[in-house]
Amino acid sequence: MDSEACCSTQLIDGDGTFNISGVEKFMKEVKLAECGLSYAVVSIMGPQSSGKSTLLNNLFNTNFKEMDAFKGRSQTTKGIWMARCTGIEPCTLVMDLEGTDGRERGEDDTAFEKQSALFALAVSDIVLINMWCHDIGREQAANKPLLKTVFQVMMRLFSPRKTTLLFVIRDKTRTPLENLEPVLREDIQKIWDSVPKPLAHKETPLSEFFNVEVVALSSYEEKEEQFKEQVANLRQRFHQSIAPGGLAGDRRGVVPASGFAFSSEHIWKVIKENKDLDLPAHKVMVATVRCEEIANEKYASFVANEDWCQLEEAVQSDPIPGFGKKLSSLLDTFLSEYDAEATYFDEGVRSAKQKQLQEKLFQLVQPAFQSALGHIRSRTLDRLKVSFDKALIGGERFAVAANNCIGSSMVQFDEACADVVIEQTNWDTSKVREKLLRDIDAHIATVRATKISELTSSFEEKLKQALSGPVEALLDGANSDTWSSIRNLLRRETESAVSGFSAALTGFDMDEETRQNMILSLEDYARGLVEGKAREEAGRVLIRMKDRFTMLFSHDSDSMPRVWTGKEDIRAITKTARSASLKLLSVMAAIRLDDDNADNIEKVLAVALVDSSSGSAGTRSITMVDPLASSSWEQVSSSKTLITPVQCKSLWRQFKTETEYSVSQAISAQEANKRNNNWLPPPWAIAALVILGFNEFMTLLRNPLYLGVIFVGFLLLKALWVQLDVSGEFRNGALPGIISLSSKFIPTIMNLMKKLAEEGQNGAANNPQRTSSRNSYNEGRAVVSSSASSNVTALDNGTEYASPLKDE
């Protein structure tokens, strides 16, 4: 087979420097990390120039440098070299160690010999010990120091791995192997027994640490064909060497292939520092470092993963269907990759690092998970608000609608949460669920408060409309039954409102105490509304009293404006109007919604205000106490008092002052009316006229023509009286009347004469053939006299004066 496929690399140079870069390159070339635990390490040690490299090259198809026999014996292999065996499964690594007893190292040979032997025992599953056949049984054989070195360094391993020691007897003589092997084993046991051991391993047999195998090979130089045939047979034993029954079938403490480079470097470092090598601790350390590296690689890969980046970005703005399954699949992929790469390392370390990786990944994805839950919570809350509003608009009872919406919303939330739950986590969504419930409860409480407030406001508005106007009207028309009517009205409207309000509250599923408190609050509102309206009207009581007085004083029983003709009893009318106003004042003095204990207010006011001003007041004792000299009414609390007794007295005084002018005006009007309607002279004047004018009266009776002249003169004077409006002119005073009449008298006479002349000319034009006989003239005068008489009669009936001839 092609020896170049072995990828030969120097692991440790002659100065003891570990070639880490070369080892990592070697591992990549042979793809060692993919092998897991399915690989084996074989090393060979023995005296210098004993054909170790030659054996390995023939046995494993490697290309280690071999000694040139024609140039003499010298050191060929320096340090430790490593190569891969070709054509052998599983993957087998071969280490060619520097030979012992070399003259090149001189005194340093023992130190490096022990270091390399310890290194080989720590990392190898099979150690080939190359020895000459003629050294078997000899006390000073070249292999004796080598075996002592192997057994001594083995003691520095706290818990050594079980290694197979395959003794290869070179240049076998005719002595059968069956005879050589017992001698060799006896020598090995003696060496083992002679090596100092720790107290814990004083009685430990060799087989506890080593599997000893012996094989013999013919001389390579003298019997090459036979040598190669024997090597080929030996090669077959390395196939599946780590399988049960193989050369290294019972090995233990294997480091996974991906950690081989780091493990080898650390082992060599400890050996170089001349420290005892604790293989179990080293195994844990290697597992810790490698598992952490693998975990970091997987975490970085997850962070950079395109699917995760898209998922993380998308979930910030909107909920993603199947979020939990997608994220679970991603996490499972990367955790599975970690498990696949770290599966061969120490289980405790692997599990711990896997848990740390999970925690880091969970911390990374938790904000996205919380965002998804936040979207679900907000969307569920929004849907609840919409469905709840629709249910209420549809007429569903509040409590029923709330319970139904909460139930359906929580079912939706739970289903949505199941969609975002990440399988690998045990994150509890109860806190978000509780937050959603709090938000829902807060929203429903807000809507409930709003609806109850709207309901309360609605019934309060109904009460306001039902009470304000009627109460105001009842107080305006105050009488003895006012407060009784107000109480009936309040009771009727309150009962109606409470009935509807109580029925409406049943839909809110509230406790009885709260419900009763709200009903009491509505009743108090109605009562407060009436009391407020009463206080408002009490503030305008003086205006109301004056309006009532004016209405009763200035209008008759038919509500017609009163005309003061002189027949009315102003005193009685005034008393009646003031009594009505006093009644209004007594009604407005106190609130009487509970009972009529304050009915004596009217009596007190009547005695103190009306009776005190009557004629009998003078007979009262001077020492009598004023009943209105107080700030409260008897049997009336201050909260129910609208107008105190002192305020009533002050209001009444102001009321009388402001209404006395109306009374005086009425008296003046009545007296003026009497003067205007009394045209007859006094009786004594009438008697004097009759006695003194008897002769003139008899003369008129004897000559009727005087009567006609007097009648015509009366008509003319009547016309002038009406035309000049004599009575109207003298209303402003005698002197202004005389001046006004004197300025109007002559123009009025001229106007009358002019109109008579015009009427006469119009009559002549209408009758050109008339004669100048006296009969015709008398007829014309008769006509004129008749017209004038008719018009004067009309003026006397109160019509406006017009031209006597106008109608013609």
Side-chain angles (χ1 to χ4, degrees), residues 55 126-133 136 143 147 164-170 172 175-189 206 210-217 230 233-234 237-238 247:
L55 174 62
I126 304 171
V127 177
L128 301 180
I129 299 179
N130 201 35
M131 61 183 302
W132 300 111
C133 180
I136 298 176
N143 66 321
L147 287 177
T164 299
L165 296 180
L166 179 58
F167 288 86
V168 180
I169 302 174
R170 301 294 297 274
K172 177 180 173 295
T175 305
L177 179 62
E178 291 79 5
N179 297 333
L180 294 174
E181 184 174 351
V183 177
L184 179 60
R185 289 183 179 273
E186 184 180 352
D187 291 342
I188 293 171
Q189 186 64 43
L206 175 67
F210 299 103
N211 290 322
V212 178
E213 298 287 340
V214 181
V215 66
L217 297 177
Q230 292 171 346
N233 292 332
L234 180 61
R237 298 185 66 180
F238 285 92
L247 285 175

Side-chain angles (χ1 to χ4, degrees), residues 12 43-46 79-80 95 97-100 109-124 126-129 145-157 161 163 165 210 267-268 271 277:
I12 300 172
S43 61
I44 188 169
M45 59 177 68
I80 301 175
M95 292 194 300
L97 273 66
E98 180 179 319
T100 59
D109 179 66
T110 303
F112 188 81
E113 176 185 334
K114 291 184 178 181
Q115 291 174 350
S116 59
L118 180 58
F119 180 78
L121 289 175
V123 300
S124 302
I126 304 171
V127 177
L128 301 180
I129 299 179
L146 176 63
L147 287 177
K148 287 183 179 180
T149 299
V150 170
F151 295 153
Q152 286 173 356
V153 298
M154 180 62 69
M155 296 299 102
R156 293 178 59 187
L157 301 178
R161 53 190 293 168
T163 306
L165 296 180
F210 299 103
I267 288 174
W268 181 248
I271 291 173
L277 188 61

Side-chain angles (χ1 to χ4, degrees), residues 276-294:
D276 291 340
L277 188 61
D278 188 351
L279 286 184
H282 170 76
K283 180 182 176 183
V284 172
M285 184 274 298
V286 172
T288 301
V289 173
R290 278 300 299 149
C291 289
E292 187 167 349
E293 289 177 353
I294 296 171

Side-chain angles (χ1 to χ4, degrees), residues 57 69 95 107 122 138 182 236-237 371 390 439-440 603 614 631 741 803 805:
N57 291 339
M95 292 194 300
E107 296 179 358
R138 294 173 55 194
Q236 295 300 319
R237 298 185 66 180
S371 296
K390 287 183 179 179
D439 292 343
I440 291 175
K603 298 177 183 178
S614 64
S631 61
L741 289 176
S803 174
L805 302 177

Side-chain angles (χ1 to χ4, degrees), residues 211-229:
N211 290 322
V212 178
E213 298 287 340
V214 181
V215 66
L217 297 177
S218 300
S219 174
Y220 175 71
E221 295 179 352
E222 298 175 0
K223 301 177 181 179
E224 183 177 353
E225 293 299 326
Q226 188 176 1
F227 174 82
K228 290 184 177 180
E229 181 180 352

Side-chain angles (χ1 to χ4, degrees), residues 483 487 586-596 598-599 601:
W483 284 107
R487 286 197 298 271
S586 67
V587 169
M588 298 301 301
I591 297 173
R592 280 155 276 192
L593 291 177
D594 297 323
D595 50 43
D596 290 328
D599 283 349
I601 293 177

Side-chain angles (χ1 to χ4, degrees), residues 333-376:
T333 298
F334 283 88
L335 291 175
S336 298
E337 290 178 0
Y338 168 84
D339 288 338
E341 294 187 25
T343 185
Y344 301 112
F345 290 100
D346 182 78
E347 182 178 356
V349 175
R350 182 181 73 245
S351 300
K353 294 301 178 181
Q354 183 192 49
K355 187 176 181 181
Q356 292 179 6
L357 175 62
Q358 280 185 342
E359 290 176 355
K360 288 177 66 177
L361 291 175
F362 292 167
Q363 290 177 1
L364 178 66
V365 304
Q366 190 171 30
F369 175 74
Q370 293 297 333
S371 296
L373 285 181
H375 289 311
I376 294 173

